[in-house]
C-alpha cells in the first residue's frame, strides 16, 4: 500500500470507494503476533503466540476472559484490545445483572462491531487497531467470531490472525471439516499444531504460547503452562503417528509451506 | 455552600420542580393472582375485577398477559401501573425481537428485569404499586416467580399475591404436587379461587385462567380461556 492523497482522514473516500485509514488499521492487525481459534459443537479453543519486547521483559497478555462463557484473543494494538475487552466485560456483567442470564455471544459481537463502525465514520476518531477472535457459548452451541477494525464481524469454524497467520490458516483449511465433531483434546492439539506453523524456526514450548478453552459445562479459562508443555510433548512424541491419523496423509508438518 | 446539608427546608430529592410525583396510594386495583407449576408447565389464575376502593367497579379487566414467546405475567394492585409495566415489557420484547438472531428472553430474564424495575422505582420513592407473578416455560424448563412492589423477588412451585398468600397458599401447600395434570391443576386453582370469592371482598366471580405448557411453546395449543361468569360456583348453605 502506498501513501496517497485520500488516506489522511478516515472520513475521506478514495475514488475507488476505499477508506484507506480503515485498511491501514487492518494492517496493524497483521503486524501483531498470531492468534488462532478453533471451535467444535461444544468447545472453542483460543491460542496466541507470546511475543515479548526483549528477553528481559514479560510477554504481552493477548487472551482475556470476558465472562464465564466468553473469552477473546487479540492481535494488533494491545492497548486498544485492552480497552475493548473492558467494554465487553462491562456489557456482559450489566446483562448478567439485569437479566440473571449470560449475554448471548452473537449479540455481544454485534455490539462490538457497531462500536468499531462508529470509529470509521467520525472525523475526530480513529479506527481501533486490533482484531479480536471472540469465543463463546450460548443456547445454540459454541461460536467463534472474528471482529475487525472495519466494524465487520464473521463467524468461523476456525481462523487465525496476526503475523504468519497464513501458514496456520493453510493448516486449518485442510482439517476444518473435522472440527465440528472433534473432542476438546483434538481441538487443543490442532491449535498447537497451527501455532507451530506460525513459528519461524522457534521451538514450540509452553512459554511461547497461551492456550484457553471454553466449553459446555466448562467456563472460560486459560490453561496452565505445565499442562500445555505436557500436551506439546505428548503430541511431538507422536508426531510420526500424527502424520498418519491426525493430519491429512499427503501433508506432513515438515512439508508445511512457509508463510507468505 | 454545603450541598449535603441534611436539613434543607425544601427536600429537592423527593420533589420535582412541579411538586411531588410519588405514588402515594393505588386507585383502581386488582386482587389476588395465583400461579402453580404443573406437570406440563405453568397454570395461572386471576379474576377479572378492578376495584375502585370498596366498589367493585370494573368486571372485565385482564390481569394476565403473555410476554414474548415464553412467559405469562399476572399482576395485582394498581391497574394503571400494570399497564405501565406492560409498556416497558413491550419495548423490551420488541428490541429482543429486533435482534432477529434466534435468542429470546425467557421467563427468568423477564423476571430479573422486572425485579430491577420494581426495585429501582422503590428506591426513588415512586413505586409501581403491583405484586407480579411471572411464569413460563423455556427449553423444557418451567419457571415461576414473584416480584413485589418493593422489589422482593423469589421463585417457587406455587406463588400468590395479596389475599391469595393467606387463603390460597395453605391449600396449595397441602395439595400441590409436581405431577398435577392440567385438569387437576385447574380444579385446585378453582378451589383456591372459590375460597377467595367467599372471603376476599374485592374478588369477583369471573376468572381468567391461563396455562403455559411445553406444548404452547411448541405452538401446539392456545394459551388461555376466560371462563364465563358461572366460573366459581359457591355454596352458601350449611354443610
Amino acid at each position: 500500500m502506498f501513501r496517497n492523497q485520500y488516506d489522511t482522514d478516515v472520513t475521506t473516500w478514495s475514488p475507488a470507494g476505499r477508506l484507506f485509514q480503515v485498511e491501514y488499521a487492518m494492517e496493524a492487525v497483521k503486524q501483531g503476533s498470531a492468534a488462532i481459534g478453533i471451535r467444535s459443537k461444544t468447545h472453542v479453543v483460543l491460542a496466541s503466540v507470546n511475543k515479548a519486547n526483549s528477553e528481559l521483559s514479560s510477554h504481552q497478555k493477548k487472551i482475556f476472559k470476558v465472562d464465564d462463557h466468553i473469552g477473546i484473543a487479540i492481535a494488533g494494538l494491545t492497548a486498544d484490545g485492552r480497552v475493548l475487552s473492558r467494554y465487553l466485560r462491562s456489557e456482559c456483567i450489566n446483562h448478567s445483572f439485569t437479566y440473571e442470564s449470560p449475554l448471548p455471544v452473537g449479540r455481544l459481537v454485534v455490539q462490538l462491531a457497531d462500536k468499531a463502525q462508529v470509529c470509521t465514520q467520525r472525523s475526530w476518531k480513529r479506527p481501533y487497531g486490533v482484531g479480536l477472535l471472540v469465543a463463546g457459548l450460548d443456547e445454540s452451541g459454541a461460536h467463534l467470531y472474528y471482529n475487525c477494525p472495519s466494524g465487520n464481524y464473521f463467524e468461523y469454524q476456525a481462523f487465525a490472525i496476526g503475523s504468519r497467520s497464513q501458514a496456520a490458516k493453510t493448516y486449518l483449511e485442510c482439517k476444518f471439516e473435522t472440527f465440528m465433531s472433534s473432542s476438546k483434546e483434538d481441538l487443543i492439539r490442532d491449535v498447537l499444531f497451527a501455532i507451530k506453523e506460525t513459528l519461524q524456526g522457534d521451538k514450540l514450548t509452553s512459554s511461547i504460547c497461551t492456550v484457553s478453552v471454553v466449553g459446555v459445562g466448562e467456563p472460560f479459562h486459560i490453561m496452565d503452562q505445565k499442562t500445555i508443555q505436557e500436551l506439546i510433548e505428548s503430541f511431538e512424541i507422536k508426531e510420526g503417528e500424527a502424520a498418519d491419523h491426525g493430519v491429512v496423509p499427503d501433508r506432513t508438518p515438515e512439508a508445511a509451506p512457509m508463510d507468505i | 455552600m454545603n450541598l449535603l446539608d441534611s436539613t434543607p427546608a425544601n427536600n429537592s430529592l423527593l420533589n420535582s420542580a412541579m411538586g411531588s410525583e410519588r405514588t402515594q396510594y393505588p386507585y383502581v386495583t386488582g386482587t389476588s393472582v395465583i400461579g402453580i407449576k404443573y406437570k406440563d408447565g405453568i397454570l395461572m389464575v386471576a379474576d377479572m375485577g378492578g376495584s375502585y376502593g370498596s366498589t367493585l367497579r370494573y368486571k372485565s379487566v385482564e390481569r394476565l398477559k403473555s410476554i414474548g414467546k415464553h412467559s405469562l405475567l399476572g399482576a395485582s394492585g394498581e391497574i394503571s401501573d400494570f399497564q405501565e409495566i406492560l409498556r416497558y415489557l413491550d419495548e423490551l420484547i420488541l428490541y429482543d425481537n429486533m435482534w432477529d438472531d434466534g435468542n429470546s428472553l425467557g421467563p427468568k430474564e423477564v423476571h430479573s428485569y422486572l425485579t430491577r424495575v420494581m426495585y429501582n422505582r422503590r428506591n426513588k420513592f415512586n413505586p409501581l404499586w403491583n405484586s407480579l407473578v411471572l411464569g413460563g416455560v423455556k427449553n423444557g424448563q418451567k419457571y415461576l416467580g414473584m416480584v413485589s412492589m418493593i422489589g422482593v423477588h423469589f421463585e417457587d412451585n406455587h406463588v400468590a399475591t395479596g389475599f391469595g398468600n393467606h387463603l390460597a397458599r395453605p391449600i396449595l401447600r397441602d395439595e400441590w404436587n409436581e405431577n398435577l395434570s392440567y385438569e387437576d391443576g385447574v380444579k385446585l386453582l378453582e378451589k383456591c379461587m372459590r375460597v377467595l370469592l367467599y372471603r376476599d371482598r374485592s374478588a369477583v366471580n369471573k376468572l381468567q385462567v391461563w396455562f403455559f405448557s411445553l406444548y404452547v411453546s411448541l405452538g401446539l395449543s392456545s394459551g388461555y380461556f376466560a371462563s364465563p361468569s358461572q366460573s366459581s360456583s359457591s355454596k352458601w348453605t350449611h354443610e
Side-chain angles (χ1 to χ4, degrees), chain B residues 223-239:
Chain B
Y224 84 103
F225 68 89
S227 39
S229 27
Q230 172 271 306
S231 58
S232 309
S233 61
S234 32
K235 283 200 183 101
W236 295 95
T237 59
H238 286 287
E239 205 40 66

Side-chain angles (χ1 to χ4, degrees), chain B residues 3 16 80 103 116 149 157 175 189 193-194 204-205 234:
Chain B
L3 292 170
S16 73
S80 62
N103 288 307
R116 291 291 115 233
M149 74 187 233
N157 292 321
E175 299 185 24
L189 287 177
M193 292 310 276
R194 191 173 313 118
V204 300
N205 64 354
S234 32

Side-chain angles (χ1 to χ4, degrees), chain B residues 23 88 117-128:
Chain B
T23 304
Y88 282 141
V117 170
M118 302 300 272
Y119 184 66
N120 280 319
R121 288 289 297 254
R122 164 261 196 199
N123 284 343
K124 295 195 274 204
F125 283 92
N126 188 12
L128 290 160

Side-chain angles (χ1 to χ4, degrees), chain A residues 77-128:
Chain A
L77 265 53
T78 23
D80 284 3
R82 252 193 350 267
V83 160
L84 286 179
S85 75
R86 189 166 59 228
Y87 167 74
L88 296 173
R89 286 171 175 166
S90 166
E91 290 297 300
C92 277
I93 210 169
N94 285 338
H95 189 275
S96 276
F97 174 71
T98 310
Y99 300 101
E100 271 194 57
S101 85
L103 176 59
V105 208
R107 296 195 179 183
L108 183 62
V109 295
V110 172
Q111 282 175 251
L112 178 62
D114 289 345
K115 191 172 162 71
Q117 190 278 341
V118 167
C119 299
T120 66
Q121 212 176 2
R122 306 279 184 271
S123 60
W124 62 90
K125 285 182 180 257
R126 64 155 177 83
Y128 288 104

